[in-house]
Amino acid sequence: MTTKQVIVLIGPPGSGKAGVGQHLMERYKVPHLSSGNLLRSANTSATSDMSRSALVSDKTMIELIKRRIGHTDCARGCILDGFPRTVTQAMLLDRVLQQSKAVVSHVVHLYVPDKVLSERICGRWVHPKSGRSYHVVHHPPRSLAGHKPSPATMRDDATGEPPAQSRAPPP
């Protein structure tokens, strides 16, 4: 039996983990598992924690990861985006991976200067229900069409609903 290969992407919000994850997913034909998307799709206390901007517990996160990597599309491995974030989470992940006959084969740390991160985060808008993200410069929704970004001009391409503007990272 082949061991599942897990690639871990780490870096601050806005560093490009999602883009790198998509590229790796296409190249290696394994799922890209974003911690944010896992949380948004969870029907647990995690969703209420997120709506209150509270931190989601390590136990909840590791359970979501454990369940997801057990799916058949992860039989060869997966790409973890945004998890683990702490040493405790890394140790919990190590135990789960051992039980699943999986190993972390690569860790990719993305470094981006603070000035670039601020520009990326301040221009990002995210559709809360789907997780689709937009950027006022790099990936605007069709509704922006040269207008100044506002809740009226920033609309999700699929639903027409307003996305939420991301907050700037702490200094």
PDB file of all heavy atoms in Angstrom, residues 131-164:
ATOM      1  N   GLY A 131     -17.016  31.066  -0.187  1.00  0.00           N
ATOM      2  CA  GLY A 131     -15.574  31.207  -0.046  1.00  0.00           C
ATOM      3  C   GLY A 131     -14.894  31.777  -1.284  1.00  0.00           C
ATOM      4  O   GLY A 131     -13.684  31.960  -1.301  1.00  0.00           O
ATOM      5  N   ARG A 132     -15.680  32.087  -2.340  1.00  0.00           N
ATOM      6  CA  ARG A 132     -15.075  32.685  -3.532  1.00  0.00           C
ATOM      7  C   ARG A 132     -14.479  34.032  -3.147  1.00  0.00           C
ATOM      8  O   ARG A 132     -15.113  34.814  -2.439  1.00  0.00           O
ATOM      9  CB  ARG A 132     -16.119  32.886  -4.634  1.00  0.00           C
ATOM     10  CG  ARG A 132     -16.441  31.628  -5.424  1.00  0.00           C
ATOM     11  CD  ARG A 132     -17.386  31.925  -6.582  1.00  0.00           C
ATOM     12  NE  ARG A 132     -18.704  32.334  -6.130  1.00  0.00           N
ATOM     13  CZ  ARG A 132     -19.677  31.479  -5.778  1.00  0.00           C
ATOM     14  NH1 ARG A 132     -19.472  30.184  -5.827  1.00  0.00           N
ATOM     15  NH2 ARG A 132     -20.845  31.931  -5.386  1.00  0.00           N
ATOM     16  N   SER A 133     -13.252  34.287  -3.621  1.00  0.00           N
ATOM     17  CA  SER A 133     -12.629  35.557  -3.262  1.00  0.00           C
ATOM     18  C   SER A 133     -12.399  36.410  -4.500  1.00  0.00           C
ATOM     19  O   SER A 133     -12.222  35.908  -5.615  1.00  0.00           O
ATOM     20  CB  SER A 133     -11.326  35.325  -2.501  1.00  0.00           C
ATOM     21  OG  SER A 133     -10.376  34.714  -3.322  1.00  0.00           O
ATOM     22  N   TYR A 134     -12.400  37.692  -4.247  1.00  0.00           N
ATOM     23  CA  TYR A 134     -12.182  38.694  -5.285  1.00  0.00           C
ATOM     24  C   TYR A 134     -11.149  39.685  -4.769  1.00  0.00           C
ATOM     25  O   TYR A 134     -10.952  39.822  -3.570  1.00  0.00           O
ATOM     26  CB  TYR A 134     -13.490  39.442  -5.606  1.00  0.00           C
ATOM     27  CG  TYR A 134     -14.576  38.524  -6.098  1.00  0.00           C
ATOM     28  CD1 TYR A 134     -15.520  37.993  -5.230  1.00  0.00           C
ATOM     29  CD2 TYR A 134     -14.632  38.164  -7.436  1.00  0.00           C
ATOM     30  CE1 TYR A 134     -16.494  37.123  -5.683  1.00  0.00           C
ATOM     31  CE2 TYR A 134     -15.612  37.303  -7.900  1.00  0.00           C
ATOM     32  CZ  TYR A 134     -16.535  36.784  -7.016  1.00  0.00           C
ATOM     33  OH  TYR A 134     -17.502  35.923  -7.481  1.00  0.00           O
ATOM     34  N   HIS A 135     -10.514  40.376  -5.693  1.00  0.00           N
ATOM     35  CA  HIS A 135      -9.586  41.443  -5.331  1.00  0.00           C
ATOM     36  C   HIS A 135      -9.866  42.621  -6.241  1.00  0.00           C
ATOM     37  O   HIS A 135     -10.048  42.446  -7.449  1.00  0.00           O
ATOM     38  CB  HIS A 135      -8.138  40.973  -5.478  1.00  0.00           C
ATOM     39  CG  HIS A 135      -7.178  41.928  -4.857  1.00  0.00           C
ATOM     40  ND1 HIS A 135      -6.725  43.048  -5.517  1.00  0.00           N
ATOM     41  CD2 HIS A 135      -6.610  41.937  -3.619  1.00  0.00           C
ATOM     42  CE1 HIS A 135      -5.903  43.710  -4.714  1.00  0.00           C
ATOM     43  NE2 HIS A 135      -5.816  43.060  -3.560  1.00  0.00           N
ATOM     44  N   VAL A 136      -9.888  43.810  -5.654  1.00  0.00           N
ATOM     45  CA  VAL A 136     -10.273  44.987  -6.435  1.00  0.00           C
ATOM     46  C   VAL A 136      -9.325  45.268  -7.593  1.00  0.00           C
ATOM     47  O   VAL A 136      -9.739  45.859  -8.593  1.00  0.00           O
ATOM     48  CB  VAL A 136     -10.411  46.246  -5.538  1.00  0.00           C
ATOM     49  CG1 VAL A 136     -11.524  46.050  -4.525  1.00  0.00           C
ATOM     50  CG2 VAL A 136      -9.113  46.591  -4.852  1.00  0.00           C
ATOM     51  N   VAL A 137      -8.066  44.814  -7.518  1.00  0.00           N
ATOM     52  CA  VAL A 137      -7.104  45.035  -8.598  1.00  0.00           C
ATOM     53  C   VAL A 137      -6.830  43.753  -9.381  1.00  0.00           C
ATOM     54  O   VAL A 137      -6.907  43.727 -10.602  1.00  0.00           O
ATOM     55  CB  VAL A 137      -5.769  45.592  -8.041  1.00  0.00           C
ATOM     56  CG1 VAL A 137      -4.711  45.691  -9.133  1.00  0.00           C
ATOM     57  CG2 VAL A 137      -5.980  46.942  -7.373  1.00  0.00           C
ATOM     58  N   HIS A 138      -6.527  42.675  -8.676  1.00  0.00           N
ATOM     59  CA  HIS A 138      -6.030  41.460  -9.315  1.00  0.00           C
ATOM     60  C   HIS A 138      -7.110  40.480  -9.784  1.00  0.00           C
ATOM     61  O   HIS A 138      -6.852  39.685 -10.681  1.00  0.00           O
ATOM     62  CB  HIS A 138      -5.071  40.723  -8.367  1.00  0.00           C
ATOM     63  CG  HIS A 138      -3.964  41.602  -7.883  1.00  0.00           C
ATOM     64  ND1 HIS A 138      -3.002  42.121  -8.722  1.00  0.00           N
ATOM     65  CD2 HIS A 138      -3.687  42.080  -6.650  1.00  0.00           C
ATOM     66  CE1 HIS A 138      -2.163  42.864  -8.023  1.00  0.00           C
ATOM     67  NE2 HIS A 138      -2.554  42.860  -6.762  1.00  0.00           N
ATOM     68  N   HIS A 139      -8.281  40.514  -9.182  1.00  0.00           N
ATOM     69  CA  HIS A 139      -9.359  39.586  -9.564  1.00  0.00           C
ATOM     70  C   HIS A 139     -10.716  40.206  -9.206  1.00  0.00           C
ATOM     71  O   HIS A 139     -11.419  39.727  -8.318  1.00  0.00           O
ATOM     72  CB  HIS A 139      -9.162  38.243  -8.840  1.00  0.00           C
ATOM     73  CG  HIS A 139     -10.195  37.215  -9.195  1.00  0.00           C
ATOM     74  ND1 HIS A 139     -10.375  36.728 -10.475  1.00  0.00           N
ATOM     75  CD2 HIS A 139     -11.113  36.592  -8.422  1.00  0.00           C
ATOM     76  CE1 HIS A 139     -11.350  35.850 -10.464  1.00  0.00           C
ATOM     77  NE2 HIS A 139     -11.823  35.752  -9.234  1.00  0.00           N
ATOM     78  N   PRO A 140     -11.078  41.291  -9.894  1.00  0.00           N
ATOM     79  CA  PRO A 140     -12.335  41.961  -9.549  1.00  0.00           C
ATOM     80  C   PRO A 140     -13.554  41.176 -10.039  1.00  0.00           C
ATOM     81  O   PRO A 140     -13.480  40.482 -11.059  1.00  0.00           O
ATOM     82  CB  PRO A 140     -12.237  43.304 -10.275  1.00  0.00           C
ATOM     83  CG  PRO A 140     -11.315  43.045 -11.418  1.00  0.00           C
ATOM     84  CD  PRO A 140     -10.361  41.976 -10.960  1.00  0.00           C
ATOM     85  N   PRO A 141     -14.679  41.302  -9.339  1.00  0.00           N
ATOM     86  CA  PRO A 141     -15.903  40.706  -9.871  1.00  0.00           C
ATOM     87  C   PRO A 141     -16.365  41.505 -11.086  1.00  0.00           C
ATOM     88  O   PRO A 141     -15.978  42.667 -11.267  1.00  0.00           O
ATOM     89  CB  PRO A 141     -16.896  40.848  -8.710  1.00  0.00           C
ATOM     90  CG  PRO A 141     -16.416  42.034  -7.954  1.00  0.00           C
ATOM     91  CD  PRO A 141     -14.911  42.030  -8.095  1.00  0.00           C
ATOM     92  N   ARG A 142     -17.182  40.896 -11.913  1.00  0.00           N
ATOM     93  CA  ARG A 142     -17.686  41.585 -13.115  1.00  0.00           C
ATOM     94  C   ARG A 142     -18.425  42.875 -12.756  1.00  0.00           C
ATOM     95  O   ARG A 142     -18.379  43.855 -13.491  1.00  0.00           O
ATOM     96  CB  ARG A 142     -18.602  40.658 -13.912  1.00  0.00           C
ATOM     97  CG  ARG A 142     -17.867  39.507 -14.584  1.00  0.00           C
ATOM     98  CD  ARG A 142     -18.784  38.695 -15.489  1.00  0.00           C
ATOM     99  NE  ARG A 142     -19.903  38.088 -14.797  1.00  0.00           N
ATOM    100  CZ  ARG A 142     -19.914  36.847 -14.313  1.00  0.00           C
ATOM    101  NH1 ARG A 142     -18.864  36.075 -14.453  1.00  0.00           N
ATOM    102  NH2 ARG A 142     -20.985  36.374 -13.698  1.00  0.00           N
ATOM    103  N   SER A 143     -19.092  42.883 -11.601  1.00  0.00           N
ATOM    104  CA  SER A 143     -19.900  44.040 -11.209  1.00  0.00           C
ATOM    105  C   SER A 143     -19.071  45.296 -10.941  1.00  0.00           C
ATOM    106  O   SER A 143     -19.585  46.401 -11.013  1.00  0.00           O
ATOM    107  CB  SER A 143     -20.708  43.708  -9.951  1.00  0.00           C
ATOM    108  OG  SER A 143     -19.833  43.406  -8.873  1.00  0.00           O
ATOM    109  N   LEU A 144     -17.788  45.132 -10.647  1.00  0.00           N
ATOM    110  CA  LEU A 144     -16.965  46.309 -10.338  1.00  0.00           C
ATOM    111  C   LEU A 144     -16.777  47.174 -11.590  1.00  0.00           C
ATOM    112  O   LEU A 144     -16.949  48.384 -11.527  1.00  0.00           O
ATOM    113  CB  LEU A 144     -15.615  45.896  -9.752  1.00  0.00           C
ATOM    114  CG  LEU A 144     -14.741  47.041  -9.247  1.00  0.00           C
ATOM    115  CD1 LEU A 144     -15.457  47.856  -8.177  1.00  0.00           C
ATOM    116  CD2 LEU A 144     -13.432  46.500  -8.714  1.00  0.00           C
ATOM    117  N   ALA A 145     -16.445  46.567 -12.707  1.00  0.00           N
ATOM    118  CA  ALA A 145     -16.360  47.210 -14.030  1.00  0.00           C
ATOM    119  C   ALA A 145     -15.941  48.676 -13.980  1.00  0.00           C
ATOM    120  O   ALA A 145     -16.641  49.550 -14.470  1.00  0.00           O
ATOM    121  CB  ALA A 145     -17.699  47.066 -14.751  1.00  0.00           C
ATOM    122  N   GLY A 146     -14.805  48.958 -13.362  1.00  0.00           N
ATOM    123  CA  GLY A 146     -14.270  50.311 -13.354  1.00  0.00           C
ATOM    124  C   GLY A 146     -14.820  51.230 -12.282  1.00  0.00           C
ATOM    125  O   GLY A 146     -14.403  52.375 -12.192  1.00  0.00           O
ATOM    126  N   HIS A 147     -15.771  50.757 -11.492  1.00  0.00           N
ATOM    127  CA  HIS A 147     -16.326  51.577 -10.418  1.00  0.00           C
ATOM    128  C   HIS A 147     -15.427  51.528  -9.182  1.00  0.00           C
ATOM    129  O   HIS A 147     -14.560  50.673  -9.058  1.00  0.00           O
ATOM    130  CB  HIS A 147     -17.722  51.074 -10.017  1.00  0.00           C
ATOM    131  CG  HIS A 147     -18.722  51.200 -11.112  1.00  0.00           C
ATOM    132  ND1 HIS A 147     -18.968  50.183 -11.999  1.00  0.00           N
ATOM    133  CD2 HIS A 147     -19.528  52.225 -11.466  1.00  0.00           C
ATOM    134  CE1 HIS A 147     -19.890  50.560 -12.857  1.00  0.00           C
ATOM    135  NE2 HIS A 147     -20.245  51.802 -12.565  1.00  0.00           N
ATOM    136  N   LYS A 148     -15.694  52.413  -8.265  1.00  0.00           N
ATOM    137  CA  LYS A 148     -14.986  52.405  -6.979  1.00  0.00           C
ATOM    138  C   LYS A 148     -15.553  51.254  -6.137  1.00  0.00           C
ATOM    139  O   LYS A 148     -16.771  51.066  -6.089  1.00  0.00           O
ATOM    140  CB  LYS A 148     -15.193  53.740  -6.263  1.00  0.00           C
ATOM    141  CG  LYS A 148     -14.418  53.862  -4.978  1.00  0.00           C
ATOM    142  CD  LYS A 148     -14.572  55.243  -4.374  1.00  0.00           C
ATOM    143  CE  LYS A 148     -13.785  55.288  -3.073  1.00  0.00           C
ATOM    144  NZ  LYS A 148     -13.875  56.589  -2.450  1.00  0.00           N
ATOM    145  N   PRO A 149     -14.693  50.442  -5.490  1.00  0.00           N
ATOM    146  CA  PRO A 149     -15.197  49.312  -4.697  1.00  0.00           C
ATOM    147  C   PRO A 149     -16.094  49.758  -3.540  1.00  0.00           C
ATOM    148  O   PRO A 149     -15.757  50.674  -2.795  1.00  0.00           O
ATOM    149  CB  PRO A 149     -13.928  48.659  -4.143  1.00  0.00           C
ATOM    150  CG  PRO A 149     -12.805  49.204  -4.938  1.00  0.00           C
ATOM    151  CD  PRO A 149     -13.243  50.525  -5.485  1.00  0.00           C
ATOM    152  N   SER A 150     -17.251  49.143  -3.448  1.00  0.00           N
ATOM    153  CA  SER A 150     -18.202  49.396  -2.364  1.00  0.00           C
ATOM    154  C   SER A 150     -19.131  48.183  -2.307  1.00  0.00           C
ATOM    155  O   SER A 150     -19.159  47.380  -3.248  1.00  0.00           O
ATOM    156  CB  SER A 150     -19.014  50.660  -2.633  1.00  0.00           C
ATOM    157  OG  SER A 150     -19.940  50.432  -3.674  1.00  0.00           O
ATOM    158  N   PRO A 151     -19.905  48.045  -1.248  1.00  0.00           N
ATOM    159  CA  PRO A 151     -20.857  46.921  -1.215  1.00  0.00           C
ATOM    160  C   PRO A 151     -21.826  46.929  -2.394  1.00  0.00           C
ATOM    161  O   PRO A 151     -22.290  45.884  -2.828  1.00  0.00           O
ATOM    162  CB  PRO A 151     -21.587  47.124   0.114  1.00  0.00           C
ATOM    163  CG  PRO A 151     -20.597  47.841   0.970  1.00  0.00           C
ATOM    164  CD  PRO A 151     -19.861  48.765   0.019  1.00  0.00           C
ATOM    165  N   ALA A 152     -22.098  48.086  -2.959  1.00  0.00           N
ATOM    166  CA  ALA A 152     -23.015  48.165  -4.105  1.00  0.00           C
ATOM    167  C   ALA A 152     -22.354  47.704  -5.401  1.00  0.00           C
ATOM    168  O   ALA A 152     -23.027  47.171  -6.279  1.00  0.00           O
ATOM    169  CB  ALA A 152     -23.533  49.589  -4.262  1.00  0.00           C
ATOM    170  N   THR A 153     -21.042  47.920  -5.530  1.00  0.00           N
ATOM    171  CA  THR A 153     -20.364  47.579  -6.780  1.00  0.00           C
ATOM    172  C   THR A 153     -19.608  46.257  -6.726  1.00  0.00           C
ATOM    173  O   THR A 153     -19.238  45.725  -7.766  1.00  0.00           O
ATOM    174  CB  THR A 153     -19.366  48.686  -7.183  1.00  0.00           C
ATOM    175  OG1 THR A 153     -18.372  48.819  -6.165  1.00  0.00           O
ATOM    176  CG2 THR A 153     -20.083  49.999  -7.412  1.00  0.00           C
ATOM    177  N   MET A 154     -19.367  45.748  -5.545  1.00  0.00           N
ATOM    178  CA  MET A 154     -18.677  44.462  -5.384  1.00  0.00           C
ATOM    179  C   MET A 154     -19.751  43.398  -5.166  1.00  0.00           C
ATOM    180  O   MET A 154     -20.317  43.281  -4.081  1.00  0.00           O
ATOM    181  CB  MET A 154     -17.706  44.492  -4.200  1.00  0.00           C
ATOM    182  CG  MET A 154     -16.547  45.440  -4.362  1.00  0.00           C
ATOM    183  SD  MET A 154     -15.356  44.948  -5.629  1.00  0.00           S
ATOM    184  CE  MET A 154     -14.579  43.534  -4.888  1.00  0.00           C
ATOM    185  N   ARG A 155     -20.039  42.609  -6.200  1.00  0.00           N
ATOM    186  CA  ARG A 155     -21.065  41.568  -6.133  1.00  0.00           C
ATOM    187  C   ARG A 155     -20.470  40.249  -6.596  1.00  0.00           C
ATOM    188  O   ARG A 155     -19.700  40.198  -7.560  1.00  0.00           O
ATOM    189  CB  ARG A 155     -22.259  41.911  -7.013  1.00  0.00           C
ATOM    190  CG  ARG A 155     -22.988  43.184  -6.600  1.00  0.00           C
ATOM    191  CD  ARG A 155     -23.493  43.066  -5.224  1.00  0.00           C
ATOM    192  NE  ARG A 155     -24.756  43.731  -5.039  1.00  0.00           N
ATOM    193  CZ  ARG A 155     -25.373  43.776  -3.881  1.00  0.00           C
ATOM    194  NH1 ARG A 155     -24.872  43.189  -2.840  1.00  0.00           N
ATOM    195  NH2 ARG A 155     -26.511  44.405  -3.765  1.00  0.00           N
ATOM    196  N   ASP A 156     -20.870  39.165  -5.925  1.00  0.00           N
ATOM    197  CA  ASP A 156     -20.398  37.833  -6.299  1.00  0.00           C
ATOM    198  C   ASP A 156     -20.852  37.519  -7.720  1.00  0.00           C
ATOM    199  O   ASP A 156     -22.019  37.744  -8.070  1.00  0.00           O
ATOM    200  CB  ASP A 156     -20.956  36.801  -5.315  1.00  0.00           C
ATOM    201  CG  ASP A 156     -20.523  35.395  -5.640  1.00  0.00           C
ATOM    202  OD1 ASP A 156     -19.312  35.129  -5.614  1.00  0.00           O
ATOM    203  OD2 ASP A 156     -21.404  34.563  -5.929  1.00  0.00           O
ATOM    204  N   ASP A 157     -19.931  37.019  -8.542  1.00  0.00           N
ATOM    205  CA  ASP A 157     -20.247  36.723  -9.941  1.00  0.00           C
ATOM    206  C   ASP A 157     -21.345  35.673 -10.089  1.00  0.00           C
ATOM    207  O   ASP A 157     -22.146  35.741 -11.012  1.00  0.00           O
ATOM    208  CB  ASP A 157     -18.995  36.239 -10.691  1.00  0.00           C
ATOM    209  CG  ASP A 157     -18.015  37.365 -10.978  1.00  0.00           C
ATOM    210  OD1 ASP A 157     -18.393  38.555 -10.901  1.00  0.00           O
ATOM    211  OD2 ASP A 157     -16.843  37.042 -11.282  1.00  0.00           O
ATOM    212  N   ALA A 158     -21.400  34.701  -9.192  1.00  0.00           N
ATOM    213  CA  ALA A 158     -22.370  33.612  -9.333  1.00  0.00           C
ATOM    214  C   ALA A 158     -23.741  33.957  -8.758  1.00  0.00           C
ATOM    215  O   ALA A 158     -24.759  33.607  -9.340  1.00  0.00           O
ATOM    216  CB  ALA A 158     -21.835  32.343  -8.667  1.00  0.00           C
ATOM    217  N   THR A 159     -23.767  34.651  -7.613  1.00  0.00           N
ATOM    218  CA  THR A 159     -25.048  34.867  -6.930  1.00  0.00           C
ATOM    219  C   THR A 159     -25.536  36.301  -6.959  1.00  0.00           C
ATOM    220  O   THR A 159     -26.716  36.551  -6.706  1.00  0.00           O
ATOM    221  CB  THR A 159     -24.941  34.450  -5.447  1.00  0.00           C
ATOM    222  OG1 THR A 159     -24.032  35.347  -4.787  1.00  0.00           O
ATOM    223  CG2 THR A 159     -24.495  33.007  -5.293  1.00  0.00           C
ATOM    224  N   GLY A 160     -24.640  37.251  -7.194  1.00  0.00           N
ATOM    225  CA  GLY A 160     -25.012  38.658  -7.126  1.00  0.00           C
ATOM    226  C   GLY A 160     -25.052  39.194  -5.707  1.00  0.00           C
ATOM    227  O   GLY A 160     -25.325  40.372  -5.489  1.00  0.00           O
ATOM    228  N   GLU A 161     -24.770  38.343  -4.740  1.00  0.00           N
ATOM    229  CA  GLU A 161     -24.760  38.769  -3.337  1.00  0.00           C
ATOM    230  C   GLU A 161     -23.481  39.550  -3.051  1.00  0.00           C
ATOM    231  O   GLU A 161     -22.455  39.326  -3.687  1.00  0.00           O
ATOM    232  CB  GLU A 161     -24.844  37.565  -2.402  1.00  0.00           C
ATOM    233  CG  GLU A 161     -26.114  36.772  -2.558  1.00  0.00           C
ATOM    234  CD  GLU A 161     -26.068  35.437  -1.824  1.00  0.00           C
ATOM    235  OE1 GLU A 161     -24.963  34.905  -1.575  1.00  0.00           O
ATOM    236  OE2 GLU A 161     -27.151  34.936  -1.512  1.00  0.00           O
ATOM    237  N   PRO A 162     -23.535  40.436  -2.053  1.00  0.00           N
ATOM    238  CA  PRO A 162     -22.331  41.205  -1.743  1.00  0.00           C
ATOM    239  C   PRO A 162     -21.326  40.362  -0.952  1.00  0.00           C
ATOM    240  O   PRO A 162     -21.690  39.722   0.029  1.00  0.00           O
ATOM    241  CB  PRO A 162     -22.850  42.358  -0.883  1.00  0.00           C
ATOM    242  CG  PRO A 162     -24.098  41.835  -0.266  1.00  0.00           C
ATOM    243  CD  PRO A 162     -24.681  40.863  -1.259  1.00  0.00           C
ATOM    244  N   PRO A 163     -20.070  40.361  -1.379  1.00  0.00           N
ATOM    245  CA  PRO A 163     -19.042  39.721  -0.572  1.00  0.00           C
ATOM    246  C   PRO A 163     -18.659  40.629   0.595  1.00  0.00           C
ATOM    247  O   PRO A 163     -18.994  41.816   0.592  1.00  0.00           O
ATOM    248  CB  PRO A 163     -17.878  39.526  -1.539  1.00  0.00           C
ATOM    249  CG  PRO A 163     -18.103  40.488  -2.637  1.00  0.00           C
ATOM    250  CD  PRO A 163     -19.567  40.813  -2.660  1.00  0.00           C
ATOM    251  N   ALA A 164     -17.970  40.077   1.562  1.00  0.00           N
ATOM    252  CA  ALA A 164     -17.511  40.856   2.719  1.00  0.00           C
ATOM    253  C   ALA A 164     -16.070  41.267   2.482  1.00  0.00           C
ATOM    254  O   ALA A 164     -15.277  40.501   1.944  1.00  0.00           O
ATOM    255  CB  ALA A 164     -17.621  40.024   3.992  1.00  0.00           C
TER     256      ALA A 164
END
